[in-house]
Amino acid sequence: MSKLEELLAAWLPRQRWFSGKGVPIHDLRVTGRHTLVPARGDGPGLDIVVVEAEQRGRRSRYQMLLGSRSPRSLPGELAAETIGVCRVGGGRPRAVYDASHDGELTAALLERFAAPTGPGDTSGVRFRTLPGAPIRVGSHGRVLTGEQSNTSLVFGEDYVLKTFRRLWPGRNPDLELTMALTGSPCVARTCGWIEADLPGYQEPTTLAMLQSYVPQATDGWVLATRSVRALMDGARTDGEDAFTAEAERLGRTTAEVHGSLARALPTDVLSPNAAAELAEAMVERLAMASEEVPELAEYAPRVMAAYTEFAQLGEPLPIQRIHGDYHLGQVIRTASEWVLLDFEGEPTVPVRERQRLTSPLRDVAGMLRSFDYAAGYLLVRHPDDPGLEWAARSWARNNRAAFCAGYADTGGLDPDQYLTTLRAFEFDKAVYEVLYEARNRPDWLRVPLDSIAAAVSTATAAAAPPVPG
């Protein structure tokens, strides 16, 4: 490996967006370096660098905005973002760093959108904008904080640029679906994107997308957990609060977006054979999770029974394009409406798989799981307080019901009429969460485990024969 590759191999596993945590990198190669701002003298240079990391025989590609400066001219605020010092492009040794935090370079990045790629460009990447949508320049990017699988830069109150860290061939679903939803008030407007032809990929790869910024909006997870916290602090005792109306409104918005996607993109039905194959994939995930997390094993038989019921569906199930990774952190509340974000789906799954049609009830199940998470997350700090647990679980039940009612009333599939499908999707999502928490946030593991235990208990009670009187 070159010096730069050695530095990146040490730096990459420490990044929150790196999907291969806990597995050693056996090899790392720079497979693409696209210069956007040439380095001159002590001044800054900007490159889009694509690397391929090998872990246990599997190769994954990632991208980074790589800044470089003379070590003596590196601003103090960039010291914490420094990856190391090495020669870049055969010149003098320079400090290389994550340029997402460099205001001067992110401003230059935005300027490239104002002058879309022409025939004389030699960077190897293409900046695309939509006709009739001129880009306002003059602001620099500010990195959005929070747990994300990508990196988003906010430019003033005009734009958000999302850089897709894990790369797959093909147009990213986030760009594809938001373009299909153009004109909808329920999504942020697409303004442009960056794409490139990468070695070994047969299709252009989406590197980043530029959307309009939605100002003065509040994250759905923040609103929900604030509501639960107020409930647990004694503001209310019956599980009812103002968020219930918001949950119903969110259900309506979700159904509207699903309806728009169904009109704009292909639809189909899930055949019984396809349902059986989908259930088989759920069973495999359950087996893997049970082996890795022994606490899950005691619930596996009842979860397996839910999958078996789903596999035996006798009627075709409507399928279409959906959000794919839907939860309270993917929605924001403005003064007038809910807005959906991040239609990317699961970043660790190839684009072609994320583009497959599936039931919109997957999104419904994801949001229902998120209501459970908002309640369970706050119970982690109070593990032995039955009163608080009752209040939090009541909050989750009420808001789950309100969301489903709003969804059905606005033309979405009525969850009450598809309980077998919804139950299977919820269990599958919870099993995924068990694996994620075990690998990344062990302190949160009891949140999905408690949800599975409660669901299993409810299902078992419902299936029990009546006690003779």
Side-chain angles (χ1 to χ4, degrees):
M1 287 191 285
S2 68
K3 179 62 175 178
L4 175 60
E5 289 168 338
E6 290 176 358
L7 292 172
L8 292 175
W11 176 79
L12 196 62
R14 300 196 300 269
Q15 307 314 302
R16 67 185 179 191
W17 41 262
F18 180 62
S19 62
K21 289 183 176 66
V23 180
I25 293 179
H26 296 296
D27 187 36
L28 182 141
R29 299 293 180 203
V30 172
T31 60
R33 178 170 168 258
H34 310 279
T35 300
L36 302 183
V37 177
R40 295 186 174 90
D42 289 345
L46 176 62
D47 296 273
I48 293 179
V49 172
V50 178
V51 301
E52 187 173 79
E54 180 185 349
Q55 297 175 283
R56 293 179 180 170
R58 295 186 177 182
R59 295 182 176 273
S60 305
R61 290 192 184 185
Y62 299 87
Q63 71 156 319
M64 57 214 65
L65 294 174
L66 194 71
S68 68
R69 292 176 182 258
S70 166
R72 64 189 177 190
S73 67
L74 186 71
E77 63 269 19
L78 293 177
E81 311 305 329
T82 301
I83 299 170
V85 177
C86 65
R87 297 182 187 277
V88 180
R92 293 179 299 171
R94 295 171 65 85
V96 294
Y97 55 92
D98 183 353
S100 302
H101 301 269
D102 187 325
E104 183 177 352
L105 291 180
T106 55
L109 187 64
L110 182 63
E111 290 171 1
R112 290 295 299 269
F113 281 101
T117 306
D121 186 89
T122 60
S123 67
V125 299
R126 298 181 291 275
F127 285 72
R128 304 300 195 197
T129 56
L130 298 179
I135 303 299
R136 292 183 293 274
V137 299
S139 56
H140 66 269
R142 170 177 57 86
V143 177
L144 278 179
T145 58
E147 187 163 327
Q148 294 183 333
S149 55
N150 298 296
T151 299
S152 295
L153 300 172
V154 177
F155 292 86
E157 292 196 349
D158 293 325
Y159 308 108
V160 175
L161 178 70
K162 182 195 290 185
T163 302
F164 300 111
R165 293 294 195 167
R166 179 79 183 269
L167 298 180
W168 299 94
R171 174 168 283 191
N172 192 286
D174 203 354
L175 175 60
E176 181 187 10
L177 296 186
T178 52
M179 290 279 284
L181 292 167
T182 295
S184 170
C186 305
V187 299
R189 179 173 58 90
T190 300
C191 302
W193 66 95
I194 309 173
E195 64 182 18
D197 298 317
L198 302 183
Y201 288 174
Q202 302 302 312
E203 305 171 77
T205 294
T206 309
L207 302 180
M209 64 178 291
L210 188 71
Q211 289 182 284
S212 60
Y213 178 63
V214 182
Q216 298 179 338
T218 306
D219 179 279
W221 174 258
V222 172
L223 287 174
T225 53
R226 184 185 299 163
S227 169
V228 180
R229 188 175 291 109
L231 188 68
M232 294 172 67
D233 286 344
R236 296 187 181 263
T237 59
D238 56 1
E240 294 283 354
D241 72 330
F243 195 80
T244 305
E246 292 297 336
E248 182 178 7
R249 187 176 289 112
L250 179 57
R252 293 180 180 277
T253 301
T254 305
E256 290 173 7
V257 170
H258 282 165
S260 296
L261 288 174
R263 290 187 292 272
L265 297 169
T267 61
D268 205 338
V269 293
L270 188 71
S271 67
N273 286 341
E277 292 176 2
L278 187 54
E280 185 177 348
M282 294 177 180
V283 170
E284 291 177 0
R285 185 161 28 249
L286 175 63
M288 180 176 63
S290 297
E291 183 176 351
E292 189 168 328
V293 185
E295 300 96 315
L296 179 62
E298 67 175 288
Y299 309 117
R302 188 61 191 91
V303 176
M304 187 81 74
Y307 295 163
T308 300
E309 291 179 43
F310 174 68
Q312 296 171 347
L313 279 179
E315 298 182 359
L317 181 70
I319 56 176
Q320 61 170 86
R321 295 296 299 277
I322 66 170
H323 184 283
D325 185 27
Y326 201 44
H327 54 78
L328 286 163
Q330 306 284 43
V331 296
I332 54 176
R333 183 68 164 91
T334 69
S336 59
E337 60 203 352
W338 284 101
V339 174
L340 278 60
L341 307 173
D342 298 332
F343 286 77
E344 183 185 9
E346 175 51 54
T348 61
V349 175
V351 164
R352 285 193 177 278
E353 292 185 27
R354 285 180 266 160
Q355 290 174 330
R356 291 177 180 170
L357 307 187
T358 189
S359 170
L361 291 173
R362 266 202 183 277
D363 279 350
V364 173
M367 188 57 69
L368 297 184
R369 289 291 313 122
S370 198
F371 288 128
D372 278 356
Y373 245 77
Y377 145 77
L378 292 171
L379 290 173
V380 169
R381 303 174 191 172
H382 309 280
D384 300 311
D385 192 322
L388 289 180
E389 181 170 1
W390 182 89
R393 300 301 180 197
S394 296
W395 180 95
R397 283 195 301 273
N398 291 334
N399 284 285
R400 286 164 57 96
F403 177 87
C404 288
Y407 186 82
D409 287 347
T410 315
L413 298 178
D414 186 348
D416 286 342
Q417 302 301 314
Y418 292 87
L419 291 178
T420 296
T421 298
L422 188 61
R423 185 182 303 115
F425 285 152
E426 277 205 74
F427 272 134
D428 190 45
K429 181 68 172 179
V431 169
Y432 167 85
E433 292 162 356
V434 166
L435 275 175
Y436 180 87
E437 302 301 2
R439 294 170 179 174
N440 297 278
R441 298 181 300 196
D443 290 346
W444 285 35
L445 180 58
R446 66 165 292 204
V447 177
L449 282 176
D450 285 354
S451 292
I452 292 174
V456 165
S457 176
T458 299
T460 301
V467 177

